[in-house]
Amino acid sequence: MDFVFAYITTKDKAQALEIGKALIDERLAGCVNIIDNMTSIYRWEGKVQSHSEVILIAKTSADKFGPLSNKVKQIHSDNCPCIVSVPVTGGNWAYLNWLSSEIGG
């Protein structure tokens, strides 16, 4: 099984918790990490923006990334949320076996 980390940014911790719980409840992710108090700087609609966001890292399989992304878009308040997949190329096999069992692999 190929694993990925889904890197997602949210507007605040409440939204990150809501999305994280939904991903775990639906077995779209085996574990979610929430990292609060990040500052993002980016260009949007021709203007430089800067504001606080919360990072959500969801650990899942490559084949669950599509459904995971769709679920996040259903819940997320942004029209164009940051949802990207980062491949996992190695790791603790005991952990990866546990992750596989949690997402129904």
Side-chain angles (χ1 to χ4, degrees):
M1 176 178 288
D2 293 327
F3 296 99
V4 299
F5 285 178
Y7 177 90
I8 303 157
T9 57
T10 63
K11 68 178 183 172
D12 57 28
K13 192 167 183 180
Q15 185 176 70
L17 288 165
E18 179 185 7
I19 291 170
K21 185 171 180 344
L23 297 179
I24 297 297
D25 285 347
E26 296 189 24
R27 293 194 177 268
L28 294 171
C31 177
V32 171
N33 301 126
I34 295 172
I35 305 167
D36 204 353
N37 200 25
M38 178 209 30
T39 300
S40 291
I41 303 170
Y42 57 94
R43 187 177 309 278
W44 182 255
E45 296 178 344
K47 296 179 185 171
V48 174
Q49 308 281 329
S50 174
H51 67 276
S52 293
E53 291 185 304
V54 176
I55 302 167
L56 189 148
I57 301 170
K59 299 160 189 174
T60 191
S61 62
D63 63 333
K64 295 239 178 177
F65 180 75
L68 179 147
S69 180
N70 290 335
K71 176 51 88 176
V72 171
K73 287 187 261 184
Q74 288 174 2
I75 300 169
H76 208 289
S77 59
D78 287 352
N79 292 334
C80 182
C82 171
I83 311 165
V84 297
S85 171
V86 180
V88 174
T89 59
N92 175 358
W93 287 110
Y95 177 81
L96 297 175
N97 285 332
W98 168 84
L99 179 59
S100 177
S101 71
E102 288 303 306
I103 59 176

